[in-house]
Amino acid sequence: MSYPILYSPTEINFNNNGIGILADCISCVVTEEANGAFELEMKYPIDGIHYESIASRFIIKSKANQDSDPQLFRIYSISKPMSGIISVFAAHISYDLSGIPVSCFAAQNAPSALSGLLQNAAVDCPFTFITDKTTEAKFEVDFPGSIRSKLGGQQGSILDVYGGEYEFDNYNVILHNKRGRNRGVSIRYGKNLTDIKQDINCASVVTGVYPYWVDFETGRTLELDEKIVNVDGTFDFVKIKTLDVSSEFTEKPTQDQMREYTRSYIKSNNIGSPTVSLSVSFAQLEQSEEYKGIALLEKVSLFDTVNVEFPRLKVSATAKAVKIVYDVILDRVENVVLGNVNAKITDTLANQQQQISQAPTRTDVQKASAAATAWLTNGKGYK
């Protein structure tokens, strides 16, 4: 059992108990989302110790998850007392970056982009910026703005350009190539998940891919002799996706080349695997039969990968922990949400630039024709 600690708004030394321990705290939960919100919500009685010191912009130090050191949260809202209890809302200290502007600069890779934020901060910046990513792509601050806005959440941000998985550790901003890991946790869709709120999107599951290549000079189409490359697994339905591979080959591909590319496409895009969105509340399940099959999820951290089995489809899918709700007082995970990190985060400009640099050279007419075909068949539109 642990309790949050209160500090003054200007405190810089957190190796003590500050104003004091908020020992009369009724409840305190921290919610962290993948590359998203990181906030604390606390309920406190008006007759509790240090109540009179709780005010906007004061800092709360609290354990935030199972793994990291206690984190700092700055109070931004306090509700009016209801039945003698207030609700206190605080955002992670990294949100202070919203008030620190950065001047214009440009960088060519992820490390220099992050260091550039500190070097070009318009006022003193107490944060450090770290990354293990080495991705080469141009990042540019073409107009002044807050450092936090340049980290992510808008077009051209560091997250938009380089991708990655953020970790906010007090005054350290860490952009990981991969923050989470696969701890070997596996849950089974069906028997032990019957009564849990779940949304398994099988609408996107296809059982095979039908590739074809178009010769834009002759208009002829090349197909595989067997037509379809089947997805691994046993399905009780048939759903085939057509795939235009014309932009992948400058010359007429062989059957083996088309076949190999399609297999690679199936693997890299998880074709045949359902999209998983699953929310598990442990507080509601502890005494239930279903709890036995998912108890290991309590040990999962943000961005960790979990395996989800689909016996009827005879396939498995993977999903990441995209939201963790942590009970500070009871020192345990209350809720885990599994799903996919937002597409706008993972579909980075760096990936697009790499694809462009590797794409075969074509005439403008052929490029336009290929783009039109892609727009009609894949619905991706022009970039």
Side-chain angles (χ1 to χ4, degrees), residues 50-260:
H50 306 304
Y51 165 78
E52 69 285 349
S53 298
I54 299 174
S56 180
R57 292 198 55 76
F58 276 61
I59 296 172
I60 294 174
K61 183 171 79 171
S62 168
K63 194 168 181 180
N65 54 53
Q66 305 167 96
D67 304 316
S68 65
D69 292 333
Q71 298 294 301
L72 304 175
F73 298 85
R74 190 177 296 280
I75 297 173
Y76 67 84
S77 178
I78 302 173
S79 71
K80 293 181 179 180
M82 296 289 291
S83 302
I85 299 171
I86 61 169
S87 292
V88 178
F89 302 90
H92 189 264
I93 199 70
S94 59
Y95 281 68
D96 280 6
L97 288 166
S98 296
I100 301 178
V102 60
S103 303
C104 300
F105 76 96
Q108 302 301 321
N109 54 55
S112 60
L114 281 168
S115 62
L117 293 178
L118 180 60
Q119 295 165 6
N120 293 279
V123 297
D124 288 341
C125 179
F127 291 83
T128 61
F129 302 88
I130 306 166
T131 185
D132 60 356
K133 294 183 69 67
T134 57
T135 309
E136 298 281 340
K138 186 176 181 179
F139 169 78
E140 188 171 9
V141 176
D142 49 11
F143 57 88
S146 74
I147 289 182
R148 189 168 181 88
S149 70
K150 304 304 179 183
L151 291 177
Q154 66 178 31
Q155 185 175 2
S157 66
I158 284 179
L159 202 58
D160 189 34
V161 173
Y162 302 111
E165 300 175 349
Y166 274 123
E167 177 184 359
F168 297 100
D169 182 14
N170 290 320
Y171 286 96
N172 298 310
V173 178
I174 308 165
L175 180 62
H176 296 274
N177 187 50
K178 188 174 183 180
R179 173 179 168 182
R181 59 193 178 96
N182 192 328
R183 301 174 189 263
V185 175
S186 182
I187 59 178
R188 187 178 178 86
Y189 172 73
K191 185 176 291 186
N192 66 347
L193 293 179
T194 304
D195 297 324
I196 302 173
K197 180 181 178 183
Q198 53 198 304
D199 176 17
I200 309 299
N201 183 8
C202 294
S204 62
V205 176
V206 299
T207 61
V209 176
Y210 187 158
Y212 64 92
W213 178 86
V214 179
D215 186 330
F216 292 101
E217 294 181 357
T218 65
R220 294 181 178 178
T221 300
L222 174 67
E223 303 172 1
L224 292 178
D225 293 339
E226 67 274 24
K227 304 291 186 184
I228 310 297
V229 177
N230 291 316
V231 172
D232 291 337
T234 303
F235 305 90
D236 58 4
F237 64 96
V238 175
K239 185 177 180 181
I240 306 299
K241 172 184 174 65
T242 57
L243 178 66
D244 181 3
V245 301
S246 304
S247 62
E248 304 301 325
F249 303 96
T250 54
E251 304 292 337
K252 179 181 178 180
T254 65
Q255 293 268 320
D256 285 341
Q257 286 175 325
M258 283 183 62
R259 197 174 290 115
E260 183 60 32

Side-chain angles (χ1 to χ4, degrees), residues 24-26 43-51 54 83-86:
D24 293 317
C25 180
I26 296 172
K43 294 189 182 300
Y44 207 79
I46 60 176
D47 57 354
I49 187 172
H50 306 304
Y51 165 78
I54 299 174
S83 302
I85 299 171
I86 61 169

Side-chain angles (χ1 to χ4, degrees), residues 327-362:
D327 188 314
V328 176
I329 308 300
L330 297 179
D331 192 18
R332 69 177 188 183
V333 172
E334 283 291 289
N335 182 268
V336 173
V337 176
L338 303 178
N340 297 306
V341 179
N342 198 312
K344 70 180 180 183
I345 291 175
T346 56
D347 293 341
T348 66
L349 294 178
N351 290 339
Q352 294 173 8
Q353 291 176 7
Q354 185 176 17
Q355 291 171 3
I356 292 171
S357 66
Q358 295 176 349
T361 302
R362 290 187 172 192

